[in-house]
PDB file of all heavy atoms in Angstrom:
ATOM      1  N   VAL A  11      -2.613  21.919   0.086  1.00 93.00           N
ATOM      2  CA  VAL A  11      -2.570  23.210  -0.601  1.00 93.00           C
ATOM      3  C   VAL A  11      -1.464  23.098  -1.642  1.00 93.00           C
ATOM      4  O   VAL A  11      -0.277  23.119  -1.302  1.00 93.00           O
ATOM      5  CB  VAL A  11      -2.294  24.371   0.368  1.00 93.00           C
ATOM      6  CG1 VAL A  11      -2.243  25.697  -0.394  1.00 93.00           C
ATOM      7  CG2 VAL A  11      -3.348  24.426   1.465  1.00 93.00           C
ATOM      8  N   PRO A  12      -1.840  22.939  -2.921  1.00 90.00           N
ATOM      9  CA  PRO A  12      -0.830  22.731  -3.961  1.00 90.00           C
ATOM     10  C   PRO A  12      -0.296  24.053  -4.488  1.00 90.00           C
ATOM     11  O   PRO A  12      -0.907  25.115  -4.272  1.00 90.00           O
ATOM     12  CB  PRO A  12      -1.616  21.994  -5.046  1.00 90.00           C
ATOM     13  CG  PRO A  12      -3.002  22.549  -4.918  1.00 90.00           C
ATOM     14  CD  PRO A  12      -3.205  22.830  -3.441  1.00 90.00           C
ATOM     15  N   PRO A  13       0.823  24.017  -5.208  1.00 87.00           N
ATOM     16  CA  PRO A  13       1.283  25.221  -5.903  1.00 87.00           C
ATOM     17  C   PRO A  13       0.376  25.519  -7.084  1.00 87.00           C
ATOM     18  O   PRO A  13      -0.532  24.749  -7.397  1.00 87.00           O
ATOM     19  CB  PRO A  13       2.697  24.835  -6.353  1.00 87.00           C
ATOM     20  CG  PRO A  13       2.659  23.344  -6.448  1.00 87.00           C
ATOM     21  CD  PRO A  13       1.723  22.884  -5.378  1.00 87.00           C
ATOM     22  N   VAL A  14       0.618  26.622  -7.751  1.00 78.00           N
ATOM     23  CA  VAL A  14      -0.204  27.032  -8.884  1.00 78.00           C
ATOM     24  C   VAL A  14      -0.062  26.031 -10.026  1.00 78.00           C
ATOM     25  O   VAL A  14       1.001  25.459 -10.252  1.00 78.00           O
ATOM     26  CB  VAL A  14       0.217  28.434  -9.363  1.00 78.00           C
ATOM     27  CG1 VAL A  14      -0.475  28.811 -10.667  1.00 78.00           C
ATOM     28  CG2 VAL A  14      -0.104  29.454  -8.277  1.00 78.00           C
ATOM     29  N   GLY A  15      -1.161  25.829 -10.742  1.00 74.00           N
ATOM     30  CA  GLY A  15      -1.134  24.958 -11.910  1.00 74.00           C
ATOM     31  C   GLY A  15      -1.562  23.542 -11.590  1.00 74.00           C
ATOM     32  O   GLY A  15      -1.858  23.195 -10.442  1.00 74.00           O
ATOM     33  N   THR A  16      -1.613  22.719 -12.633  1.00 81.00           N
ATOM     34  CA  THR A  16      -2.059  21.337 -12.487  1.00 81.00           C
ATOM     35  C   THR A  16      -0.970  20.484 -11.855  1.00 81.00           C
ATOM     36  O   THR A  16       0.192  20.551 -12.243  1.00 81.00           O
ATOM     37  CB  THR A  16      -2.443  20.761 -13.864  1.00 81.00           C
ATOM     38  OG1 THR A  16      -3.492  21.550 -14.410  1.00 81.00           O
ATOM     39  CG2 THR A  16      -2.897  19.318 -13.749  1.00 81.00           C
ATOM     40  N   GLN A  17      -1.366  19.660 -10.879  1.00 89.00           N
ATOM     41  CA  GLN A  17      -0.435  18.776 -10.185  1.00 89.00           C
ATOM     42  C   GLN A  17      -1.013  17.363 -10.171  1.00 89.00           C
ATOM     43  O   GLN A  17      -2.215  17.184  -9.979  1.00 89.00           O
ATOM     44  CB  GLN A  17      -0.203  19.235  -8.739  1.00 89.00           C
ATOM     45  CG  GLN A  17       0.146  20.694  -8.577  1.00 89.00           C
ATOM     46  CD  GLN A  17       1.501  21.047  -9.118  1.00 89.00           C
ATOM     47  OE1 GLN A  17       2.416  20.219  -9.124  1.00 89.00           O
ATOM     48  NE2 GLN A  17       1.653  22.269  -9.607  1.00 89.00           N
ATOM     49  N   THR A  18      -0.153  16.379 -10.364  1.00 93.00           N
ATOM     50  CA  THR A  18      -0.560  14.981 -10.252  1.00 93.00           C
ATOM     51  C   THR A  18       0.241  14.326  -9.138  1.00 93.00           C
ATOM     52  O   THR A  18       1.471  14.430  -9.103  1.00 93.00           O
ATOM     53  CB  THR A  18      -0.346  14.223 -11.575  1.00 93.00           C
ATOM     54  OG1 THR A  18      -1.166  14.801 -12.586  1.00 93.00           O
ATOM     55  CG2 THR A  18      -0.729  12.750 -11.425  1.00 93.00           C
ATOM     56  N   TYR A  19      -0.466  13.661  -8.229  1.00 96.00           N
ATOM     57  CA  TYR A  19       0.160  13.000  -7.089  1.00 96.00           C
ATOM     58  C   TYR A  19      -0.172  11.508  -7.131  1.00 96.00           C
ATOM     59  O   TYR A  19      -1.313  11.132  -7.392  1.00 96.00           O
ATOM     60  CB  TYR A  19      -0.339  13.592  -5.770  1.00 96.00           C
ATOM     61  CG  TYR A  19      -0.148  15.080  -5.642  1.00 96.00           C
ATOM     62  CD1 TYR A  19      -1.211  15.964  -5.872  1.00 96.00           C
ATOM     63  CD2 TYR A  19       1.082  15.621  -5.287  1.00 96.00           C
ATOM     64  CE1 TYR A  19      -1.046  17.335  -5.749  1.00 96.00           C
ATOM     65  CE2 TYR A  19       1.259  16.992  -5.157  1.00 96.00           C
ATOM     66  CZ  TYR A  19       0.191  17.847  -5.394  1.00 96.00           C
ATOM     67  OH  TYR A  19       0.358  19.193  -5.277  1.00 96.00           O
ATOM     68  N   SER A  20       0.819  10.671  -6.862  1.00 97.00           N
ATOM     69  CA  SER A  20       0.612   9.222  -6.830  1.00 97.00           C
ATOM     70  C   SER A  20       0.918   8.701  -5.437  1.00 97.00           C
ATOM     71  O   SER A  20       1.954   9.040  -4.854  1.00 97.00           O
ATOM     72  CB  SER A  20       1.505   8.523  -7.857  1.00 97.00           C
ATOM     73  OG  SER A  20       1.141   8.913  -9.168  1.00 97.00           O
ATOM     74  N   ASN A  21       0.017   7.870  -4.915  1.00 97.00           N
ATOM     75  CA  ASN A  21       0.153   7.405  -3.539  1.00 97.00           C
ATOM     76  C   ASN A  21       0.085   5.884  -3.466  1.00 97.00           C
ATOM     77  O   ASN A  21      -0.737   5.252  -4.126  1.00 97.00           O
ATOM     78  CB  ASN A  21      -0.954   7.997  -2.667  1.00 97.00           C
ATOM     79  CG  ASN A  21      -0.932   7.461  -1.255  1.00 97.00           C
ATOM     80  OD1 ASN A  21      -1.578   6.481  -0.947  1.00 97.00           O
ATOM     81  ND2 ASN A  21      -0.163   8.110  -0.396  1.00 97.00           N
ATOM     82  N   SER A  22       0.970   5.309  -2.659  1.00 97.00           N
ATOM     83  CA  SER A  22       0.946   3.875  -2.364  1.00 97.00           C
ATOM     84  C   SER A  22       1.155   3.687  -0.873  1.00 97.00           C
ATOM     85  O   SER A  22       1.833   4.487  -0.224  1.00 97.00           O
ATOM     86  CB  SER A  22       2.053   3.129  -3.117  1.00 97.00           C
ATOM     87  OG  SER A  22       1.858   3.164  -4.505  1.00 97.00           O
ATOM     88  N   LEU A  23       0.565   2.630  -0.324  1.00 97.00           N
ATOM     89  CA  LEU A  23       0.880   2.244   1.045  1.00 97.00           C
ATOM     90  C   LEU A  23       1.387   0.809   1.033  1.00 97.00           C
ATOM     91  O   LEU A  23       1.194   0.073   0.062  1.00 97.00           O
ATOM     92  CB  LEU A  23      -0.316   2.405   1.981  1.00 97.00           C
ATOM     93  CG  LEU A  23      -1.599   1.590   1.805  1.00 97.00           C
ATOM     94  CD1 LEU A  23      -1.431   0.136   2.229  1.00 97.00           C
ATOM     95  CD2 LEU A  23      -2.718   2.205   2.614  1.00 97.00           C
ATOM     96  N   THR A  24       2.034   0.414   2.097  1.00 98.00           N
ATOM     97  CA  THR A  24       2.501  -0.958   2.242  1.00 98.00           C
ATOM     98  C   THR A  24       1.821  -1.596   3.431  1.00 98.00           C
ATOM     99  O   THR A  24       1.505  -0.914   4.422  1.00 98.00           O
ATOM    100  CB  THR A  24       4.036  -1.015   2.426  1.00 98.00           C
ATOM    101  OG1 THR A  24       4.400  -0.228   3.569  1.00 98.00           O
ATOM    102  CG2 THR A  24       4.746  -0.484   1.198  1.00 98.00           C
ATOM    103  N   THR A  25       1.579  -2.895   3.330  1.00 98.00           N
ATOM    104  CA  THR A  25       0.925  -3.617   4.414  1.00 98.00           C
ATOM    105  C   THR A  25       1.665  -4.913   4.673  1.00 98.00           C
ATOM    106  O   THR A  25       2.349  -5.448   3.796  1.00 98.00           O
ATOM    107  CB  THR A  25      -0.553  -3.908   4.062  1.00 98.00           C
ATOM    108  OG1 THR A  25      -1.189  -4.522   5.176  1.00 98.00           O
ATOM    109  CG2 THR A  25      -0.658  -4.837   2.864  1.00 98.00           C
ATOM    110  N   SER A  26       1.547  -5.421   5.890  1.00 98.00           N
ATOM    111  CA  SER A  26       2.157  -6.698   6.248  1.00 98.00           C
ATOM    112  C   SER A  26       1.282  -7.387   7.283  1.00 98.00           C
ATOM    113  O   SER A  26       0.470  -6.751   7.967  1.00 98.00           O
ATOM    114  CB  SER A  26       3.571  -6.507   6.801  1.00 98.00           C
ATOM    115  OG  SER A  26       3.534  -5.838   8.049  1.00 98.00           O
ATOM    116  N   ALA A  27       1.443  -8.704   7.390  1.00 98.00           N
ATOM    117  CA  ALA A  27       0.695  -9.495   8.366  1.00 98.00           C
ATOM    118  C   ALA A  27       1.413 -10.823   8.538  1.00 98.00           C
ATOM    119  O   ALA A  27       2.194 -11.246   7.683  1.00 98.00           O
ATOM    120  CB  ALA A  27      -0.742  -9.722   7.915  1.00 98.00           C
ATOM    121  N   ALA A  28       1.143 -11.511   9.655  1.00 97.00           N
ATOM    122  CA  ALA A  28       1.791 -12.786   9.955  1.00 97.00           C
ATOM    123  C   ALA A  28       0.762 -13.906   9.960  1.00 97.00           C
ATOM    124  O   ALA A  28      -0.354 -13.748  10.457  1.00 97.00           O
ATOM    125  CB  ALA A  28       2.495 -12.714  11.303  1.00 97.00           C
ATOM    126  N   GLY A  29       1.160 -15.066   9.383  1.00 96.00           N
ATOM    127  CA  GLY A  29       0.311 -16.248   9.438  1.00 96.00           C
ATOM    128  C   GLY A  29       0.230 -16.798  10.840  1.00 96.00           C
ATOM    129  O   GLY A  29       1.121 -16.575  11.672  1.00 96.00           O
ATOM    130  N   THR A  30      -0.841 -17.544  11.128  1.00 95.00           N
ATOM    131  CA  THR A  30      -1.036 -18.042  12.491  1.00 95.00           C
ATOM    132  C   THR A  30      -1.159 -19.556  12.569  1.00 95.00           C
ATOM    133  O   THR A  30      -1.288 -20.108  13.659  1.00 95.00           O
ATOM    134  CB  THR A  30      -2.306 -17.431  13.107  1.00 95.00           C
ATOM    135  OG1 THR A  30      -3.446 -17.832  12.332  1.00 95.00           O
ATOM    136  CG2 THR A  30      -2.223 -15.909  13.125  1.00 95.00           C
ATOM    137  N   THR A  31      -1.121 -20.270  11.433  1.00 91.00           N
ATOM    138  CA  THR A  31      -1.384 -21.701  11.434  1.00 91.00           C
ATOM    139  C   THR A  31      -0.128 -22.501  11.126  1.00 91.00           C
ATOM    140  O   THR A  31       0.599 -22.194  10.178  1.00 91.00           O
ATOM    141  CB  THR A  31      -2.455 -22.058  10.378  1.00 91.00           C
ATOM    142  OG1 THR A  31      -3.621 -21.282  10.646  1.00 91.00           O
ATOM    143  CG2 THR A  31      -2.810 -23.530  10.428  1.00 91.00           C
ATOM    144  N   GLY A  32       0.115 -23.554  11.914  1.00 85.00           N
ATOM    145  CA  GLY A  32       1.165 -24.525  11.616  1.00 85.00           C
ATOM    146  C   GLY A  32       2.508 -23.898  11.330  1.00 85.00           C
ATOM    147  O   GLY A  32       2.976 -23.018  12.043  1.00 85.00           O
ATOM    148  N   ASN A  33       3.138 -24.392  10.226  1.00 86.00           N
ATOM    149  CA  ASN A  33       4.483 -23.898   9.918  1.00 86.00           C
ATOM    150  C   ASN A  33       4.470 -22.470   9.368  1.00 86.00           C
ATOM    151  O   ASN A  33       5.506 -21.921   9.061  1.00 86.00           O
ATOM    152  CB  ASN A  33       5.177 -24.824   8.913  1.00 86.00           C
ATOM    153  CG  ASN A  33       4.378 -24.973   7.632  1.00 86.00           C
ATOM    154  OD1 ASN A  33       3.362 -24.311   7.454  1.00 86.00           O
ATOM    155  ND2 ASN A  33       4.819 -25.843   6.743  1.00 86.00           N
ATOM    156  N   ALA A  34       3.268 -21.870   9.198  1.00 89.00           N
ATOM    157  CA  ALA A  34       3.185 -20.468   8.782  1.00 89.00           C
ATOM    158  C   ALA A  34       3.062 -19.541   9.980  1.00 89.00           C
ATOM    159  O   ALA A  34       2.956 -18.324   9.805  1.00 89.00           O
ATOM    160  CB  ALA A  34       1.986 -20.259   7.854  1.00 89.00           C
ATOM    161  N   ASN A  35       3.063 -20.122  11.163  1.00 91.00           N
ATOM    162  CA  ASN A  35       2.904 -19.307  12.361  1.00 91.00           C
ATOM    163  C   ASN A  35       4.068 -18.317  12.466  1.00 91.00           C
ATOM    164  O   ASN A  35       5.216 -18.724  12.656  1.00 91.00           O
ATOM    165  CB  ASN A  35       2.852 -20.199  13.596  1.00 91.00           C
ATOM    166  CG  ASN A  35       2.495 -19.431  14.849  1.00 91.00           C
ATOM    167  OD1 ASN A  35       1.968 -18.326  14.768  1.00 91.00           O
ATOM    168  ND2 ASN A  35       2.789 -20.010  15.997  1.00 91.00           N
ATOM    169  N   GLY A  36       3.758 -17.027  12.310  1.00 92.00           N
ATOM    170  CA  GLY A  36       4.792 -15.997  12.380  1.00 92.00           C
ATOM    171  C   GLY A  36       5.379 -15.632  11.045  1.00 92.00           C
ATOM    172  O   GLY A  36       6.093 -14.630  10.946  1.00 92.00           O
ATOM    173  N   ALA A  37       5.131 -16.414   9.991  1.00 94.00           N
ATOM    174  CA  ALA A  37       5.638 -16.073   8.668  1.00 94.00           C
ATOM    175  C   ALA A  37       4.943 -14.812   8.173  1.00 94.00           C
ATOM    176  O   ALA A  37       3.725 -14.667   8.300  1.00 94.00           O
ATOM    177  CB  ALA A  37       5.401 -17.217   7.696  1.00 94.00           C
ATOM    178  N   VAL A  38       5.705 -13.860   7.627  1.00 96.00           N
ATOM    179  CA  VAL A  38       5.180 -12.542   7.282  1.00 96.00           C
ATOM    180  C   VAL A  38       4.883 -12.437   5.796  1.00 96.00           C
ATOM    181  O   VAL A  38       5.676 -12.855   4.957  1.00 96.00           O
ATOM    182  CB  VAL A  38       6.180 -11.440   7.690  1.00 96.00           C
ATOM    183  CG1 VAL A  38       5.692 -10.060   7.241  1.00 96.00           C
ATOM    184  CG2 VAL A  38       6.384 -11.453   9.197  1.00 96.00           C
ATOM    185  N   ALA A  39       3.723 -11.879   5.478  1.00 97.00           N
ATOM    186  CA  ALA A  39       3.340 -11.572   4.104  1.00 97.00           C
ATOM    187  C   ALA A  39       3.293 -10.059   3.941  1.00 97.00           C
ATOM    188  O   ALA A  39       2.951  -9.335   4.876  1.00 97.00           O
ATOM    189  CB  ALA A  39       1.978 -12.173   3.779  1.00 97.00           C
ATOM    190  N   ASN A  40       3.642  -9.566   2.747  1.00 97.00           N
ATOM    191  CA  ASN A  40       3.675  -8.137   2.480  1.00 97.00           C
ATOM    192  C   ASN A  40       2.974  -7.831   1.160  1.00 97.00           C
ATOM    193  O   ASN A  40       2.864  -8.690   0.281  1.00 97.00           O
ATOM    194  CB  ASN A  40       5.121  -7.631   2.391  1.00 97.00           C
ATOM    195  CG  ASN A  40       5.907  -7.875   3.661  1.00 97.00           C
ATOM    196  OD1 ASN A  40       5.764  -7.158   4.634  1.00 97.00           O
ATOM    197  ND2 ASN A  40       6.746  -8.912   3.645  1.00 97.00           N
ATOM    198  N   ASP A  41       2.541  -6.587   1.011  1.00 98.00           N
ATOM    199  CA  ASP A  41       1.989  -6.141  -0.264  1.00 98.00           C
ATOM    200  C   ASP A  41       2.053  -4.621  -0.334  1.00 98.00           C
ATOM    201  O   ASP A  41       2.018  -3.930   0.683  1.00 98.00           O
ATOM    202  CB  ASP A  41       0.531  -6.603  -0.434  1.00 98.00           C
ATOM    203  CG  ASP A  41      -0.009  -6.312  -1.834  1.00 98.00           C
ATOM    204  OD1 ASP A  41       0.784  -6.404  -2.796  1.00 98.00           O
ATOM    205  OD2 ASP A  41      -1.195  -5.993  -1.964  1.00 98.00           O
ATOM    206  N   THR A  42       2.167  -4.119  -1.574  1.00 98.00           N
ATOM    207  CA  THR A  42       2.061  -2.693  -1.859  1.00 98.00           C
ATOM    208  C   THR A  42       0.718  -2.468  -2.525  1.00 98.00           C
ATOM    209  O   THR A  42       0.299  -3.249  -3.375  1.00 98.00           O
ATOM    210  CB  THR A  42       3.202  -2.234  -2.791  1.00 98.00           C
ATOM    211  OG1 THR A  42       4.452  -2.463  -2.140  1.00 98.00           O
ATOM    212  CG2 THR A  42       3.076  -0.748  -3.114  1.00 98.00           C
ATOM    213  N   SER A  43       0.028  -1.409  -2.137  1.00 98.00           N
ATOM    214  CA  SER A  43      -1.349  -1.212  -2.581  1.00 98.00           C
ATOM    215  C   SER A  43      -1.467  -1.069  -4.092  1.00 98.00           C
ATOM    216  O   SER A  43      -0.554  -0.603  -4.778  1.00 98.00           O
ATOM    217  CB  SER A  43      -1.956   0.012  -1.895  1.00 98.00           C
ATOM    218  OG  SER A  43      -1.253   1.189  -2.256  1.00 98.00           O
ATOM    219  N   ASN A  44      -2.644  -1.474  -4.593  1.00 98.00           N
ATOM    220  CA  ASN A  44      -2.979  -1.361  -6.005  1.00 98.00           C
ATOM    221  C   ASN A  44      -4.068  -0.308  -6.176  1.00 98.00           C
ATOM    222  O   ASN A  44      -4.939  -0.147  -5.322  1.00 98.00           O
ATOM    223  CB  ASN A  44      -3.472  -2.709  -6.539  1.00 98.00           C
ATOM    224  CG  ASN A  44      -3.686  -2.684  -8.030  1.00 98.00           C
ATOM    225  OD1 ASN A  44      -2.754  -2.395  -8.788  1.00 98.00           O
ATOM    226  ND2 ASN A  44      -4.887  -2.981  -8.483  1.00 98.00           N
ATOM    227  N   ASN A  45      -4.037   0.414  -7.280  1.00 98.00           N
ATOM    228  CA  ASN A  45      -5.053   1.438  -7.534  1.00 98.00           C
ATOM    229  C   ASN A  45      -6.421   0.797  -7.734  1.00 98.00           C
ATOM    230  O   ASN A  45      -6.573  -0.111  -8.553  1.00 98.00           O
ATOM    231  CB  ASN A  45      -4.670   2.246  -8.777  1.00 98.00           C
ATOM    232  CG  ASN A  45      -5.667   3.332  -9.081  1.00 98.00           C
ATOM    233  OD1 ASN A  45      -6.261   3.918  -8.170  1.00 98.00           O
ATOM    234  ND2 ASN A  45      -5.881   3.614 -10.356  1.00 98.00           N
ATOM    235  N   GLY A  46      -7.399   1.269  -6.981  1.00 97.00           N
ATOM    236  CA  GLY A  46      -8.750   0.729  -7.097  1.00 97.00           C
ATOM    237  C   GLY A  46      -9.204   0.109  -5.794  1.00 97.00           C
ATOM    238  O   GLY A  46      -8.595   0.302  -4.742  1.00 97.00           O
ATOM    239  N   ALA A  47     -10.276  -0.688  -5.886  1.00 97.00           N
ATOM    240  CA  ALA A  47     -10.839  -1.331  -4.696  1.00 97.00           C
ATOM    241  C   ALA A  47     -10.480  -2.803  -4.626  1.00 97.00           C
ATOM    242  O   ALA A  47     -10.849  -3.475  -3.652  1.00 97.00           O
ATOM    243  CB  ALA A  47     -12.353  -1.173  -4.688  1.00 97.00           C
ATOM    244  N   ASN A  48      -9.763  -3.333  -5.624  1.00 97.00           N
ATOM    245  CA  ASN A  48      -9.441  -4.760  -5.685  1.00 97.00           C
ATOM    246  C   ASN A  48      -7.929  -4.953  -5.609  1.00 97.00           C
ATOM    247  O   ASN A  48      -7.206  -4.566  -6.531  1.00 97.00           O
ATOM    248  CB  ASN A  48      -9.981  -5.366  -6.978  1.00 97.00           C
ATOM    249  CG  ASN A  48      -9.829  -6.881  -7.027  1.00 97.00           C
ATOM    250  OD1 ASN A  48      -9.195  -7.481  -6.164  1.00 97.00           O
ATOM    251  ND2 ASN A  48     -10.405  -7.490  -8.037  1.00 97.00           N
TER     252      ASN A  48
END
């Protein structure tokens, strides 16, 4: 429920995951979301 008038909102999420193979086992990768489906 926004206040009166035009409002613009920008949203990002963050994600992380750990590798499972060899010397990457447990190494963490991160990313912040990009606008769109790609």
Side-chain angles (χ1 to χ4, degrees):
V11 179
V14 172
T16 300
Q17 310 291 330
T18 297
Y19 304 100
S20 296
N21 175 269
S22 295
L23 64 74
T24 57
T25 184
S26 67
T30 62
T31 304
N33 57 6
N35 188 18
V38 176
N40 301 282
D41 188 35
T42 299
S43 63
N44 186 58
N45 181 34
N48 187 352

